[in-house]
Amino acid sequence: MPIMKILSLETHQTCSSINTQKNTGFSYYEYKQGETHSANTDHTFCLIFILDGRISAQIDHGCREQVAAGNFFLIPQYAKNHMVAEQNGSALILFWNLQVRVCQTMVNASTAQPFSQEMMCISMIDPLKQMLHSMVRYIKDRIDCTHVHMVKQMELLFILQKYYDRELMVRFFSPSFGSRSHFMSTVLKYYKEVSSMQELAKKCGCSDRTFNRKFHDYFAMTPYQWIQQKKSEEISHYLRDSNVSFHTIAKKMCFSSPSHLSLYCRKTFGKTPTELRKEMQSKSSSK
């Protein structure tokens, strides 16, 4: 069988439309068992399609879920995430280009959904698998045009809207569309930068009273409780990485010293940072 060649590859790679910035679009990854990864969702939410192998994934403080080949899930914008490769495998990741518009009726329905932090894992059907494998082929052949990425994202959206149950898709995309998403994204974007909840309320365009009501509706806890929870999650995230020193963690989390960090960990987790890190490493090596 003759080998297929791309006759105009050199011309393509000098095209002004080549996708040089990777804030949006598809990326293909191959991973080895035991490797850890996280997706940077500061710019947009992403979809992760497991093509081969199996991973475990945790989003924010939700339960860690096993995701096998042939399934996909969504990571909301600004969400902390941690993935571990349980087997050798590969994945296709789409950082959503917001220029590709979703059906407004789906957006409206997503806004009306009750907020849930549970990760939804959905099985791939044949039309979706075929579309994803064609995108992998383009990436491997170095056809990295912005237009191709946008067209394939539109094809993906068409498949999800036409081949999957509408209510399922509404629940799947609910963390990422509508006014709820805007409020939550604003909170997640600015909560580290502001000096008070009053300042954060202004960023959200709300009075203090409206902000507190909305916050409780969307996050199911008070702003103070949520800030403490996020702080604990971030400390745990840094403690998982043995290359990050306690001094660095204390600095990143605005503690005056490592001893102040240790005091917080004892009060919150009942253990010192050293004990917590050893416990996390022990759990990771036993899997």
Side-chain angles (χ1 to χ4, degrees), residues 195-260:
S195 57
S196 67
M197 287 298 104
Q198 288 77 15
E199 188 178 345
L200 186 55
K202 288 182 180 179
K203 292 283 188 183
C204 294
C206 303
S207 66
D208 292 351
R209 183 175 180 181
T210 300
F211 174 79
N212 288 330
R213 177 181 56 78
K214 277 190 173 184
F215 200 102
H216 194 275
D217 287 344
Y218 295 164
F219 292 96
M221 61 185 76
T222 67
Y224 175 79
Q225 290 170 330
W226 184 83
I227 288 291
Q228 293 305 307
Q229 179 176 280
K230 294 298 289 184
K231 193 172 185 178
S232 299
E233 287 172 8
E234 290 195 48
I235 290 172
S236 296
H237 175 77
Y238 289 127
L239 286 174
R240 287 193 188 96
D241 188 349
S242 58
N243 294 318
V244 182
S245 69
F246 297 142
H247 178 81
T248 300
I249 297 173
K251 188 175 180 180
K252 283 179 175 289
M253 298 305 300
C254 300
F255 288 106
S256 59
S257 66
S259 60
H260 188 194

Side-chain angles (χ1 to χ4, degrees), residues 101-111 161 166 177-179:
R101 298 295 182 183
V102 177
C103 171
Q104 189 60 42
T105 56
M106 181 182 288
V107 171
N108 294 340
S110 296
T111 304
Q161 290 178 334
R166 180 178 177 276
F177 295 136
S179 59

